Amino acid sequence: MEVKKSNVKLNAMLQIESDIQSRWENEKIFEEEAPNGSQGKYLVTFPYPYMNGRLHLGHTFTLAKCEFAVGYQRLLGKKCLFPFGFHCTGMPIKAAADKLTREMADFGFPPNFPKDDIVEEVEQDVKELEIKDKSKSKKSKAVAKTGTAKYQWQIMQSLGLNDDEIKKFADPIHWIKYFSPAAMADLKLMGLKTDWRRSFVTTDVNPYYDSFVRWQFNILKKKEKIRYGKRYTIYSPKDGQPCMDHDRSSGENVGPQEYTLIKLKIIQDPLPEKLRLFNDKPIYLVAATLRPETMYGQTNCWVHPDIKYVLFETVDGEYFISTKRSARNMSFQNFTHDWGKVEFLAEITGQEIMGLELKAPLSSLDCVYSLPMMTIKEDKGTGIVTSVPSDSPDDFAALTDLKKKKPFREKYSISDEMVLPFDPIPIMNIEGLGTLAAPKVCEDLKIQSQNETAKLVEAKEKVYLKGFYEGVLIVGPYAGKKVQEVKKKIQTEMIEKNEAKIYQEPEKLVVSRSGDECVVALCNQWYLDYGNEEWKNQVREALKNVETYHEESRRNFEATLDWLEGHACSRSFGLGTKLPWDPQYLIESLSDSTIYMAYYTISHYLQKDLYGKEPGLGNLKPDELSDEFWNYIFFQNQPVPANLEPKKEVLERMKKEFEFWYPVDLRTSGKDLIPNHLTYFLYNHCAVWDQPQKWPQSIRANGHLLLNSEKMSKSTGNFLTLTDAIQKYSADGMRMTLADAGDSVEDANFVETVAEANLLRLYAFNEWCKEIIENKSTLRSENSPLENYADKVFQSEINKTIEETKKHYDSMMYKEALKTGFFELQAARDRYRELSETMHFGLVTWFIKVQLVLLAPICPHITEHIWLNVLKTDHSIMKELWPQAGPIDESLVNSANYLMEAAHEFRNRQKSFSQVKTKGKSKDAEKPAPSQPVKGTIFVAKTYPTWQQIILDTLKTLYKNNNNSFPDNKAILAELAKREELKKFQKKVMPFVAFTKDQALKKGAHCLNHTLDFDEYDILQTNLKYLQNTLQLNELRILFTTDEEAGKSNLNIDDIVPGKPVIFYQ
């Protein structure tokens, strides 16, 4: 069968990558050991991925940051280590395995599922889009990626597995042994610069790592960082114990969700009839919210007319009104006098508490009213809902409906004064959405009613996430602060003022095997005491010395430290390491993954394979590893364990490995891990090692990865695994597109058309390099001098690119590094080809070498291939050093940019000249051939007119006095208005100001000078032949605007200024 033409280049690239990867593996090029002498080093790590599925493009985007960093640091002459492990700790694998076992028991093998079962998992409609705190719950990524499957068997089928293969996954160990090597193979396909000897899996399947985690927790316990006390957990009242995943008939992987319980005090007098018996204590409608920071904008609260609410007494001597379900939850969280018991003193319908006067905490209004909302559900929250129409699309739509529909108001006895005076209250500014985000988005989406569910879901996604990450409060004591920085502070202050409480309930319905609906209860658990102020302050000090690359990341760390309290570190179910002093519990997945980077430094000495079945270089057995062994390796001045005295030399080599490689120089991760994993990472390093020199040096957090400007989702088909991307675009094509996707903490975007284009660019560059080498004889000799204008410009541009690209790599700005180090350098080459009659072989070869080295961190395969197989270099590009930049003639570079811009303008003017006017001719009339000019005269200005010089001088002064930036146009205009000489040029002043500012911002402050930093006439004259050829003219001259002939050209001479020549065609 004929290979598609479009695949020929892809297949060629894939073959090159396969060949290069084989060469690297044979040469063990990424295997590193600590040197005997001193040498710079760079240790980079990525959070080991969870092994219940294949790696996808989102993983790849973040780990690519590590990969690019390692590639660059190697070029600086450092020994670099990028080790890679595989995380198997926690509940999801065991829960999924047990589910397969149950499905085979219930439905046979292969399972015969009921045909009338709904296959789609339907998310409960929630009023508030949840901004997840991943420290509270860790969901199964397999489930997250396959949201259209009801049964675990179907999820496994979606991964391409047949029934006989799926059956093996009923054993949780099979997951580890299947997905871990598969992930390693996938990562090798992308060319990861990893020392795979150091890879491992977690849990007690690996006895070496198991010993390491037990040692870590013994250290933390000894230092009193671990405590035992009350923590929130999913609990079955019927069973009288925590309900872990294996105890549930539904709700696997569901954890507690924290809400802020807002206390809306009833201030109405007299009270409604059913409440008059309870006037001895304050009565509150209690509403559960995920967004306490928005309470400044409350205009009312919502109740459902038909829901039955209950009134009960709290331990604080107050009455709360909520649904029965939420009251039951609260009783297990110490809200009531007796734990787990609640007495319902009254039952009330929503209609009976409609139109109540309420005092809403933080609201600027003296009173708000309870109003009807028909979409409230009993199975989420408390059945009472706060209303913030400025920032909640649901609330805005419902309030608008109520205002427009008088019959609706009358049906529920709602008077006009309870609704009509209340408008959305601006409380925060969101870039792009303004201070009334919900009304704006509802207007943009043309939402007319609260019943437009699909549109309202879309509106909530736009408003809530953007509000959390980008919203800035404009009211209250935290005005001017970002929402995510002060959210927890506002919640804490409301609690301290008795305006709110912490309330938790399961994220979704959880039913135990005994058929009991589970609650969230406060139960005794082991937890890491992250709220300890002394420990917290130690982490704050450590953070001061951590490079976070983005100020927003630093602020997020600081905000997390302000609110973070304890984190439960033990679970009763799943895979992992048993708690050394209480082996009924397992150490949970966020807690065994905080200092494992230290294990990488010596793992190859301990284990030969992923699972620790065979000893590594040190020939040590797992049962030989005591806490004293780990103390000797990782701490100073510790004795060699007596049982390992005969192996002291091996232990010394291991200690040398740790001392050389530590600390971690770079940790990369998604920004959503700042509030949990990345902060715990800092905490635990500070706790285990007393020496600050062992603490992390830098943390690079990034946003999520969009695919073609949309969220990745397997259910919609907008999804790519790592191998999918490589098979479609090659490893280097994919890597280049990941680098180009974005550098900030905002969401990045992988665009498939860009990936396709990048694949073709890399292929074309390889072909061009081969062509240059093969046609060496047609170029000027490499021994000939670099003397013409084009040579000197190209040489300066290469040197400038080397310096600029290094700055971008240093700051981990890979999109910018790609821009300068590839796209702009390629453009410089194209200009050189255009300007030069015959290129210089030595200069072109130098360009190729520089291009390869600058691109190597991002696209290592094609650069290695050209380096070795086209240039025939005698060593791998992985052992090359960053090129030294020679002198840069900025004036020369500016002159070349000027020349190319001028040539572009000349061509545009030529097109205008050639267009023959056909006005008055019929559509069918034959159009004459375009008239081509044969002669041209370029007019150049020696200096600016006096009025423009005045403007330049004024702008230059204002720029300098304003810290090298321009003030606003109002200030500029006010200054220029003082100059009498400008009055007759009034209409031209601001257009010239706008043009000059734009030039200065694009090219630099030198654009404010009266003259250019090069001889404009000389540059045009030097390149006259190039201009004449590119414009296809028989004759071309260059004149000054002061020459007599300029006045005869019918040109507006005043429009010709330095740097902007104009051509006159004949």
Side-chain angles (χ1 to χ4, degrees), residues 947-960:
W947 69 274
Q948 291 182 344
Q949 291 182 26
I950 292 170
I951 293 173
L952 289 170
D953 291 341
T954 305
L955 287 175
K956 195 171 188 178
T957 302
L958 290 171
Y959 183 83
K960 187 176 180 182

PDB file of all heavy atoms in Angstrom, residues 947-960:
ATOM      1  N   TRP A 947       9.384  70.454  14.165  1.00  0.00           N
ATOM      2  CA  TRP A 947       8.265  70.132  15.061  1.00  0.00           C
ATOM      3  C   TRP A 947       8.341  68.698  15.577  1.00  0.00           C
ATOM      4  O   TRP A 947       7.995  68.408  16.716  1.00  0.00           O
ATOM      5  CB  TRP A 947       6.921  70.401  14.367  1.00  0.00           C
ATOM      6  CG  TRP A 947       6.567  69.480  13.227  1.00  0.00           C
ATOM      7  CD1 TRP A 947       6.926  69.620  11.927  1.00  0.00           C
ATOM      8  CD2 TRP A 947       5.771  68.292  13.305  1.00  0.00           C
ATOM      9  NE1 TRP A 947       6.415  68.602  11.166  1.00  0.00           N
ATOM     10  CE2 TRP A 947       5.680  67.767  11.994  1.00  0.00           C
ATOM     11  CE3 TRP A 947       5.109  67.632  14.341  1.00  0.00           C
ATOM     12  CZ2 TRP A 947       4.988  66.607  11.696  1.00  0.00           C
ATOM     13  CZ3 TRP A 947       4.400  66.471  14.053  1.00  0.00           C
ATOM     14  CH2 TRP A 947       4.350  65.972  12.740  1.00  0.00           C
ATOM     15  N   GLN A 948       8.865  67.782  14.744  1.00  0.00           N
ATOM     16  CA  GLN A 948       9.011  66.398  15.193  1.00  0.00           C
ATOM     17  C   GLN A 948      10.177  66.249  16.171  1.00  0.00           C
ATOM     18  O   GLN A 948      10.118  65.444  17.105  1.00  0.00           O
ATOM     19  CB  GLN A 948       9.194  65.479  13.985  1.00  0.00           C
ATOM     20  CG  GLN A 948       7.927  65.360  13.132  1.00  0.00           C
ATOM     21  CD  GLN A 948       8.081  64.420  11.946  1.00  0.00           C
ATOM     22  OE1 GLN A 948       9.203  64.078  11.564  1.00  0.00           O
ATOM     23  NE2 GLN A 948       6.974  64.036  11.343  1.00  0.00           N
ATOM     24  N   GLN A 949      11.237  67.044  15.971  1.00  0.00           N
ATOM     25  CA  GLN A 949      12.354  67.020  16.919  1.00  0.00           C
ATOM     26  C   GLN A 949      11.902  67.453  18.311  1.00  0.00           C
ATOM     27  O   GLN A 949      12.334  66.905  19.327  1.00  0.00           O
ATOM     28  CB  GLN A 949      13.479  67.939  16.419  1.00  0.00           C
ATOM     29  CG  GLN A 949      14.185  67.419  15.172  1.00  0.00           C
ATOM     30  CD  GLN A 949      15.315  68.325  14.723  1.00  0.00           C
ATOM     31  OE1 GLN A 949      15.900  69.043  15.531  1.00  0.00           O
ATOM     32  NE2 GLN A 949      15.624  68.294  13.437  1.00  0.00           N
ATOM     33  N   ILE A 950      11.007  68.455  18.355  1.00  0.00           N
ATOM     34  CA  ILE A 950      10.472  68.910  19.644  1.00  0.00           C
ATOM     35  C   ILE A 950       9.724  67.766  20.337  1.00  0.00           C
ATOM     36  O   ILE A 950       9.900  67.532  21.541  1.00  0.00           O
ATOM     37  CB  ILE A 950       9.527  70.119  19.433  1.00  0.00           C
ATOM     38  CG1 ILE A 950      10.334  71.338  18.958  1.00  0.00           C
ATOM     39  CG2 ILE A 950       8.770  70.448  20.720  1.00  0.00           C
ATOM     40  CD1 ILE A 950       9.465  72.496  18.500  1.00  0.00           C
ATOM     41  N   ILE A 951       8.932  67.045  19.565  1.00  0.00           N
ATOM     42  CA  ILE A 951       8.176  65.920  20.137  1.00  0.00           C
ATOM     43  C   ILE A 951       9.120  64.821  20.627  1.00  0.00           C
ATOM     44  O   ILE A 951       8.956  64.276  21.723  1.00  0.00           O
ATOM     45  CB  ILE A 951       7.179  65.364  19.104  1.00  0.00           C
ATOM     46  CG1 ILE A 951       6.089  66.411  18.816  1.00  0.00           C
ATOM     47  CG2 ILE A 951       6.549  64.059  19.594  1.00  0.00           C
ATOM     48  CD1 ILE A 951       5.149  66.034  17.690  1.00  0.00           C
ATOM     49  N   LEU A 952      10.144  64.520  19.842  1.00  0.00           N
ATOM     50  CA  LEU A 952      11.113  63.490  20.239  1.00  0.00           C
ATOM     51  C   LEU A 952      11.814  63.866  21.533  1.00  0.00           C
ATOM     52  O   LEU A 952      11.964  63.031  22.444  1.00  0.00           O
ATOM     53  CB  LEU A 952      12.147  63.287  19.118  1.00  0.00           C
ATOM     54  CG  LEU A 952      11.637  62.590  17.847  1.00  0.00           C
ATOM     55  CD1 LEU A 952      12.687  62.676  16.743  1.00  0.00           C
ATOM     56  CD2 LEU A 952      11.296  61.129  18.128  1.00  0.00           C
ATOM     57  N   ASP A 953      12.245  65.111  21.628  1.00  0.00           N
ATOM     58  CA  ASP A 953      12.929  65.561  22.850  1.00  0.00           C
ATOM     59  C   ASP A 953      12.000  65.486  24.062  1.00  0.00           C
ATOM     60  O   ASP A 953      12.419  65.076  25.152  1.00  0.00           O
ATOM     61  CB  ASP A 953      13.437  66.997  22.673  1.00  0.00           C
ATOM     62  CG  ASP A 953      14.574  67.088  21.659  1.00  0.00           C
ATOM     63  OD1 ASP A 953      15.195  66.040  21.389  1.00  0.00           O
ATOM     64  OD2 ASP A 953      14.826  68.194  21.128  1.00  0.00           O
ATOM     65  N   THR A 954      10.741  65.899  23.854  1.00  0.00           N
ATOM     66  CA  THR A 954       9.773  65.856  24.963  1.00  0.00           C
ATOM     67  C   THR A 954       9.520  64.414  25.405  1.00  0.00           C
ATOM     68  O   THR A 954       9.523  64.109  26.608  1.00  0.00           O
ATOM     69  CB  THR A 954       8.447  66.512  24.531  1.00  0.00           C
ATOM     70  OG1 THR A 954       8.715  67.842  24.066  1.00  0.00           O
ATOM     71  CG2 THR A 954       7.464  66.555  25.686  1.00  0.00           C
ATOM     72  N   LEU A 955       9.311  63.527  24.439  1.00  0.00           N
ATOM     73  CA  LEU A 955       9.079  62.121  24.775  1.00  0.00           C
ATOM     74  C   LEU A 955      10.279  61.507  25.491  1.00  0.00           C
ATOM     75  O   LEU A 955      10.123  60.718  26.433  1.00  0.00           O
ATOM     76  CB  LEU A 955       8.764  61.319  23.509  1.00  0.00           C
ATOM     77  CG  LEU A 955       7.385  61.553  22.881  1.00  0.00           C
ATOM     78  CD1 LEU A 955       7.264  60.779  21.567  1.00  0.00           C
ATOM     79  CD2 LEU A 955       6.272  61.125  23.834  1.00  0.00           C
ATOM     80  N   LYS A 956      11.462  61.877  25.041  1.00  0.00           N
ATOM     81  CA  LYS A 956      12.682  61.333  25.650  1.00  0.00           C
ATOM     82  C   LYS A 956      12.794  61.761  27.113  1.00  0.00           C
ATOM     83  O   LYS A 956      13.122  60.957  27.996  1.00  0.00           O
ATOM     84  CB  LYS A 956      13.905  61.816  24.851  1.00  0.00           C
ATOM     85  CG  LYS A 956      15.192  61.057  25.150  1.00  0.00           C
ATOM     86  CD  LYS A 956      16.268  61.468  24.151  1.00  0.00           C
ATOM     87  CE  LYS A 956      17.497  60.597  24.273  1.00  0.00           C
ATOM     88  NZ  LYS A 956      18.518  60.972  23.272  1.00  0.00           N
ATOM     89  N   THR A 957      12.488  63.013  27.380  1.00  0.00           N
ATOM     90  CA  THR A 957      12.545  63.528  28.762  1.00  0.00           C
ATOM     91  C   THR A 957      11.491  62.846  29.628  1.00  0.00           C
ATOM     92  O   THR A 957      11.782  62.407  30.759  1.00  0.00           O
ATOM     93  CB  THR A 957      12.323  65.051  28.768  1.00  0.00           C
ATOM     94  OG1 THR A 957      13.325  65.665  27.944  1.00  0.00           O
ATOM     95  CG2 THR A 957      12.389  65.606  30.178  1.00  0.00           C
ATOM     96  N   LEU A 958      10.268  62.758  29.109  1.00  0.00           N
ATOM     97  CA  LEU A 958       9.192  62.122  29.874  1.00  0.00           C
ATOM     98  C   LEU A 958       9.502  60.649  30.144  1.00  0.00           C
ATOM     99  O   LEU A 958       9.238  60.129  31.231  1.00  0.00           O
ATOM    100  CB  LEU A 958       7.868  62.241  29.108  1.00  0.00           C
ATOM    101  CG  LEU A 958       7.268  63.653  29.010  1.00  0.00           C
ATOM    102  CD1 LEU A 958       6.082  63.650  28.053  1.00  0.00           C
ATOM    103  CD2 LEU A 958       6.835  64.158  30.386  1.00  0.00           C
ATOM    104  N   TYR A 959      10.074  59.976  29.160  1.00  0.00           N
ATOM    105  CA  TYR A 959      10.422  58.554  29.282  1.00  0.00           C
ATOM    106  C   TYR A 959      11.462  58.356  30.389  1.00  0.00           C
ATOM    107  O   TYR A 959      11.330  57.465  31.236  1.00  0.00           O
ATOM    108  CB  TYR A 959      10.964  58.066  27.937  1.00  0.00           C
ATOM    109  CG  TYR A 959      11.315  56.596  27.876  1.00  0.00           C
ATOM    110  CD1 TYR A 959      10.329  55.644  27.627  1.00  0.00           C
ATOM    111  CD2 TYR A 959      12.627  56.158  28.037  1.00  0.00           C
ATOM    112  CE1 TYR A 959      10.642  54.288  27.548  1.00  0.00           C
ATOM    113  CE2 TYR A 959      12.951  54.812  27.959  1.00  0.00           C
ATOM    114  CZ  TYR A 959      11.958  53.887  27.724  1.00  0.00           C
ATOM    115  OH  TYR A 959      12.271  52.545  27.645  1.00  0.00           O
ATOM    116  N   LYS A 960      12.464  59.205  30.369  1.00  0.00           N
ATOM    117  CA  LYS A 960      13.537  59.102  31.359  1.00  0.00           C
ATOM    118  C   LYS A 960      13.034  59.414  32.762  1.00  0.00           C
ATOM    119  O   LYS A 960      13.384  58.740  33.737  1.00  0.00           O
ATOM    120  CB  LYS A 960      14.679  60.067  30.971  1.00  0.00           C
ATOM    121  CG  LYS A 960      15.924  59.933  31.838  1.00  0.00           C
ATOM    122  CD  LYS A 960      17.021  60.855  31.328  1.00  0.00           C
ATOM    123  CE  LYS A 960      18.269  60.738  32.196  1.00  0.00           C
ATOM    124  NZ  LYS A 960      19.332  61.668  31.742  1.00  0.00           N
TER     125      LYS A 960
END
